[in-house]
Amino acid sequence: MIVQDVINHLEELAPLAYAEDFDNVGLLVGNKNTEITGVLVTLDTLEAVVDEAIKENCNLIVSFHPIILKGLKKLTGKNYVERVVMKAIKHDIAIYSMHTALDNALNGVNDMICNQLQLRNKHILIPQSETIKKLTTYVPKEEAEQLRNALFNTGAGSIGNYSNCSFNVEGYGTFNGNENTNPTKGQKGTLHTENETKITVTFPKHLESQVLQTLFKSHSYEEVAYEVVTLENKNQHIGMGMVGEWEESMSELDFLVFLKDKMNTQSIRHSAFLDKKIKRIAVLGGSGSFAIEAAKSAGADAFVTADLKYHDFFTAENNILLADVGHYESEQFTKNLLVAYLTKKITNFAIILSKTNTNPVKYF
């Protein structure tokens, strides 16, 4: 097994196409064709983590946060980022980061928080737009079923919990090939009319390459007529944050005690109590102040996130309980998610959970 094989599994869980524009995800260090000796999963890639990988004979580190976020102009070891990259290269260790691709995944960071808090009826808090594409093509009527099935097999035609979704219209297509053509229907130099089926399917944008390759491979025409457009529809399976609820509500104080225990945090910074029950909860791992209004609009009684600033707490507006559990604490279960996922996908060697505590924040 090579590095690219592990990457393929990871990108099934969290396609990089859905990472935020500012982010730096994917293979940051190393060669994708390197044979793997072991995989170490961590939240952050620090020097101690690279040392741990060396000790455990792991030459691939799967990290949630990217060690390289800005461009590196020099490698002199003057800071921890350069030292990590230099040590990884020296010991032939590859580093792969997922970050906001996993933040936006349906079964990613925020789903783990919801599971930790035992929430049900979960859905995305801020769905992404412009991540759904639509393919329209035209095929001889007798070939329509074969082409549809080929497109379905790539993942096209899936809408929510439904699969094999398409829209089909029968009509007549005309074409006249010049002397340089070799048409599969009709004769070159002669106007031809063909009984065709217009097929329309939607697909997630990260599958565009596979969908088009399948279209060209499965279509009989020498020149395939097709259109691909990007839809403005919200993608209910991709986006930041999640909202869930409990069957029974609890008091604000009981909620914070429960939250502190389940999120394994030493302290929680929160907004003023509103003397209301907590039942519907929005969550967003990492820095989530930008989603406060979305949490309020979703009707959440509480919003669990991290890195809230002084003035962010005012935006609660006596409408929602804001709870800052800490950045590391909000994302700490992510590496457990990745280990469990990769262990199911790869059975011929161990996926190791890093034992290095990378939390830079200490409590007195």
Side-chain angles (χ1 to χ4, degrees):
M1 177 171 285
I2 62 175
V3 170
Q4 185 62 53
D5 294 324
V6 178
I7 291 175
N8 292 341
H9 289 308
L10 292 172
E11 292 186 10
E12 287 180 13
L13 173 67
L16 300 187
Y18 306 119
E20 299 298 315
D21 291 339
F22 69 84
D23 209 359
N24 187 32
V25 292
L27 186 62
L28 306 183
V29 176
N31 188 322
K32 66 181 181 180
N33 296 314
T34 299
E35 289 283 341
I36 290 179
T37 60
V39 179
L40 181 71
V41 179
T42 181
L43 198 64
D44 306 278
T45 306
L46 304 180
E47 288 182 83
V49 173
V50 178
D51 289 335
E52 185 179 8
I54 296 169
K55 179 181 177 182
E56 298 290 346
N57 193 32
C58 295
N59 63 346
L60 172 61
I61 295 175
V62 175
S63 176
F64 177 64
H65 291 126
I67 184 60
I68 305 172
L69 193 56
K70 300 178 181 179
L72 291 177
K73 295 184 178 180
K74 298 178 181 178
L75 283 176
T76 61
K78 68 177 182 180
N79 57 48
Y80 80 97
V81 174
E82 293 182 9
R83 290 192 295 272
V84 166
V85 173
M86 291 170 65
K87 180 172 286 190
I89 292 173
K90 180 179 180 179
H91 293 275
D92 294 322
I93 295 174
I95 302 174
Y96 181 89
S97 171
M98 307 183 74
H99 205 207
T100 56
L102 194 58
D103 279 325
N104 280 314
L106 182 64
N107 298 311
V109 176
N110 298 297
D111 186 54
M112 281 295 290
I113 299 176
C114 287
N115 293 341
Q116 193 68 16
L117 298 182
Q118 302 168 7
L119 299 177
R120 35 186 264 170
N121 301 326
K122 301 172 290 186
H123 63 269
I124 297 292
L125 176 63
I126 308 177
Q128 276 195 6
S129 59
E130 299 184 355
T131 61
I132 302 173
K133 297 203 171 191
K134 181 173 70 173
L135 167 69
T136 300
T137 190
Y138 310 83
V139 63
K141 181 180 177 180
E142 67 272 14
E143 300 175 14
E145 183 175 1
Q146 178 183 345
L147 178 59
R148 274 195 303 269
N149 289 335
L151 293 173
F152 292 154
N153 287 336
T154 67
S158 294
I159 303 175
N161 294 320
Y162 293 84
S163 62
N164 292 29
C165 302
S166 68
F167 188 77
N168 304 270
V169 179
E170 291 187 14
Y172 295 96
T174 62
F175 47 84
N176 187 348
N178 64 26
E179 60 182 12
N180 296 316
T181 62
N182 184 27
T184 56
K185 299 287 184 177
Q187 302 294 324
K188 61 183 176 181
T190 302
L191 179 64
H192 179 75
T193 300
E194 182 70 27
N195 189 0
E196 294 182 329
T197 300
K198 175 183 177 181
I199 300 175
T200 302
V201 293
T202 60
F203 60 89
K205 71 175 185 179
H206 73 279
L207 294 180
E208 182 168 0
S209 177
Q210 297 96 302
V211 168
L212 291 181
Q213 287 178 19
T214 298
L215 171 64
F216 301 144
K217 181 179 179 180
S218 304
H219 205 297
S220 66
Y221 283 176
E222 182 181 36
E223 191 70 51
V224 179
Y226 72 99
E227 308 161 21
V228 175
V229 297
T230 300
L231 305 180
E232 294 185 3
N233 302 48
K234 298 288 187 181
N235 192 332
Q236 301 302 321
H237 288 78
I238 297 290
M240 284 285 180
M242 295 196 88
V243 180
E245 60 186 13
W246 291 314
E247 187 172 349
E248 301 292 335
S249 60
M250 65 174 69
S251 71
E252 292 165 306
L253 180 58
D254 287 342
F255 165 68
L256 291 181
V257 171
F258 175 85
L259 181 63
K260 185 176 182 180
D261 175 62
K262 292 298 182 181
M263 297 304 292
N264 190 28
T265 182
Q266 296 185 44
S267 68
I268 297 176
R269 299 162 62 236
H270 64 87
S271 58
F273 282 171
L274 304 174
D275 193 26
K276 63 183 289 188
K277 295 291 186 179
I278 305 295
K279 182 177 182 180
R280 187 175 177 84
I281 301 167
V283 307
L284 198 154
S287 303
S289 61
F290 67 90
I292 293 174
E293 294 303 322
K296 290 159 66 174
S297 297
D301 302 309
F303 178 40
V304 179
T305 188
D307 296 344
L308 297 181
K309 297 180 180 179
Y310 177 82
H311 289 94
D312 291 330
F313 288 97
F314 288 120
T315 62
E317 295 277 6
N318 296 318
N319 180 267
I320 191 171
L321 178 65
L322 303 178
D324 184 332
V325 298
H327 195 119
Y328 174 89
E329 288 79 5
S330 71
E331 297 172 338
Q332 63 185 299
F333 305 109
T334 303
K335 58 184 183 179
N336 301 81
L337 160 69
L338 293 174
V339 167
Y341 174 79
L342 288 175
T343 298
K344 290 181 180 179
K345 293 288 184 177
I346 303 170
T347 58
N348 57 340
F349 57 82
I351 309 298
I352 299 176
L353 178 69
S354 173
K355 297 178 182 178
T356 304
N357 185 336
T358 61
N359 190 0
V361 180
K362 309 301 176 185
Y363 298 93
F364 179 72

